[in-house]
Amino acid sequence: MNTADDLKLDEEVANSWVRIIEERFAIEIDEFRLAAFTRALTSFACETGEELEGLLKLFVSGQLDEAQRAYILHLATNHETRFFRYPPSLAAITEVCANLRRPPRVLSVGCSTGEEPYSIACSLLRAGHAGFTVHGTDVSQPCIDKARQGIYRGHPDLRADVAAPHGPNRIRFHAWVRDMVTFEQHNILAERPVNFPAPDVIITQNMLIYYRVETRHLILQKLAAMLPVGGHLITGPAEDGNWNPMGLKRMPNHLLNLFVRVA
Ligand SMILES: C[S@@+](CC[C@H](N)C(=O)[O-])C[C@H]1O[C@@H](n2cnc3c(N)ncnc32)[C@H](O)[C@@H]1O
């Protein structure tokens, strides 16, 4: 059983982790997620033969490899998602893509386990697009691995036009749909560029909220720089932290933040 001193030490180590995660990844872990994060991290530390404090030392001294660092970031972030989560975003993407003269290219940043990119694909298919690419990126390799399988619990809006039954209560997107939805493990704060040039639309929803306002603006500026002139950037309502972009025009939309690149 833990003594009071042990508990105090655990709390200090957990707080050090939060500080370091914030410093290194610019992610904020609030008090509501702290307990879950500490539990998950303790279990990961055990798997590597360490305790929380030992793992922290390895992390700080740069002795963890990229995959281990990425897994810690996976534990520090929230991956909640669902199909057709925010219909106004899907409507905006469909509307922008209706005016393109080539197969649309849509980038979903912070796509978690793939529900968002597949929802976009369903919307484009149902709007009559025969060809397009939706590219989902997420910092979490486990999320990307799941997304690539294209297997999910059944959902009333995932019908035979896009998916087929795959065992009890499961569906799998048809192979030809999966071919049009690609995934990449990628940290949007890293220097490496996303492997998806000239997207017509970039969407990032429910990801910026975990970052400080300055970091949100940095991420948005990076995303803006990826857009060709005429390309659109979408974030959820109130997620942009009152961003005032250069070279982009804010389009009137009271349900989301919609920007178009003008220069
Ligand atoms: C709450 S989920 C939102 C998923 C989806 N966009 C939605 O709205 O349903 C946030 C996702 O952002 C990812 N994420 C957080 N920081 C990231 C970063 N720096 N680069 C890429 N993805 C990141 C997390 O791993 C997580 O899967």
Side-chain angles (χ1 to χ4, degrees):
M1 196 192 285
N2 274 335
T3 64
D5 281 351
D6 285 342
L7 282 174
K8 192 161 184 302
L9 180 65
D10 286 352
E11 201 181 308
E12 276 168 19
V13 176
N15 287 335
S16 300
W17 263 111
V18 170
R19 214 182 45 250
I20 293 290
I21 293 276
E22 278 198 35
E23 271 173 33
R24 302 289 167 96
F25 298 127
I27 286 180
E28 290 179 336
I29 300 175
D30 63 33
E31 55 187 305
F32 304 107
R33 290 177 44 240
L34 180 59
F37 171 63
T38 311
R39 265 196 311 276
L41 197 60
T42 305
S43 149
F44 176 59
C46 280
E47 281 168 31
T48 57
E50 294 289 339
E51 292 189 346
L52 264 194
E53 197 173 7
L55 189 68
L56 182 65
K57 282 186 185 142
L58 293 176
F59 182 79
V60 172
S61 59
Q63 292 181 66
L64 296 182
D65 62 31
E66 182 54 36
Q68 289 171 312
R69 288 169 55 82
Y71 191 67
I72 290 171
L73 189 47
H74 168 81
L75 298 178
T77 44
N78 178 328
H79 307 287
E80 187 195 330
T81 186
R82 55 187 177 273
F83 285 105
F84 309 102
R85 183 171 190 174
Y86 192 56
S89 311
L90 295 172
I93 293 173
T94 310
E95 196 181 323
V96 167
C97 292
N99 299 320
L100 297 174
R101 292 210 196 100
R102 58 171 182 144
R105 293 171 60 75
V106 181
L107 174 63
S108 155
V109 173
C111 71
S112 188
T113 38
E115 285 83 341
E116 180 173 288
Y118 282 115
S119 301
I120 296 169
C122 292
S123 302
L124 291 177
L125 280 169
R126 290 168 182 165
H129 291 274
F132 55 80
T133 309
V134 182
H135 189 68
T137 67
D138 200 283
V139 73
S140 158
Q141 186 66 51
C143 284
I144 292 299
D145 291 343
K146 170 153 176 42
R148 283 196 174 123
Q149 291 177 10
I151 301 171
Y152 298 94
R153 219 175 292 142
H155 182 287
D157 291 327
L158 299 178
R159 300 185 292 272
D161 59 335
V162 294
H166 188 84
N169 304 324
R170 306 241 139 209
I171 57 96
R172 186 171 203 193
F173 283 96
H174 299 313
W176 59 269
V177 179
R178 282 185 272 130
D179 284 348
M180 295 197 285
V181 185
T182 55
F183 292 98
E184 177 185 358
Q185 186 280 331
H186 182 268
N187 181 351
I188 199 61
L189 288 165
E191 303 242 317
R192 172 168 71 87
V194 177
N195 188 16
F196 191 68
D200 299 301
V201 183
I202 301 178
I203 177 163
T204 185
Q205 295 186 122
N206 302 302
M207 181 193 84
L208 295 171
I209 47 174
Y210 297 103
Y211 289 95
R212 288 191 286 268
V213 166
E214 319 82 75
T215 314
R216 292 186 200 191
H217 293 176
L218 183 79
I219 292 173
L220 287 166
Q221 205 51 57
K222 282 182 94 160
L223 299 180
M226 293 173 61
L227 286 174
V229 171
H232 288 72
L233 175 58
I234 297 173
T235 76
E239 289 185 30
D240 68 326
N242 293 322
W243 184 47
N244 194 8
M246 301 259 294
L248 277 83
K249 188 172 137 199
R250 190 183 281 272
M251 306 296 284
N253 191 318
H254 64 284
L255 297 172
L256 37 80
N257 292 298
L258 176 64
F259 303 94
V260 61
R261 187 165 184 92
V262 287

